[in-house]
Amino acid sequence: MSNKIACPLNYTINLIGTKWKPLVLFHLIEGALRSGVLQKKVPGISNKMFTQTVRELEKDGLVNRKVFPVVPPRVEYSLTKRGASLIPILKSLDAWGAIDGNNIY
């Protein structure tokens, strides 16, 4: 059986197509952020959803999670090389939203 993806768009949407994942990824474009700072940049996300989202992004190889051995624990997130490959797409979505978001239908 072939490992070829039947529909690349379906694969991509399944990978980053939740409500929160693109927002978390977008805020990591400029560089690594501490967990609390990143969560505050995503308005409306609960602690549970934030944790679930970053865990899924880490599992899928889009985000790195670095834990610093200090008390209290400090956690920092950054884009992996694979995650950084989404930057043009995320910026395009942001630009489209800036233009189209001003239109009322």
Side-chain angles (χ1 to χ4, degrees):
M1 188 165 162
S2 172
N3 286 339
K4 188 172 180 172
I5 299 167
C7 178
L9 180 59
N10 188 43
Y11 171 76
T12 305
I13 295 299
N14 284 331
L15 200 60
I16 65 164
T18 68
K19 179 178 181 178
W20 305 112
K21 286 181 182 179
L23 296 171
V24 169
L25 292 167
F26 183 79
H27 289 295
L28 291 174
I29 288 174
E30 297 300 321
L33 290 172
R34 290 178 68 167
S35 180
V37 173
L38 179 57
Q39 186 173 352
K40 285 178 185 170
K41 288 184 174 274
V42 183
I45 194 169
S46 68
N47 286 337
K48 179 184 175 188
M49 282 309 302
F50 177 77
T51 300
Q52 181 180 328
T53 299
V54 292
R55 282 185 182 162
E56 289 175 6
L57 289 169
E58 183 182 14
K59 178 184 71 75
D60 291 332
L62 300 174
V63 167
N64 281 321
R65 179 179 186 261
K66 183 175 182 182
V67 180
F68 294 87
V70 294
V71 177
R74 184 176 130 205
V75 178
E76 194 174 85
Y77 292 97
S78 61
L79 293 176
T80 62
K81 186 175 181 180
R82 184 177 188 210
S85 70
L86 292 166
I87 290 173
I89 296 164
L90 295 167
K91 285 186 174 182
S92 293
L93 288 169
D94 182 59
W96 185 86
I99 294 167
D100 202 57
N102 294 323
N103 296 325
I104 299 174
Y105 296 99

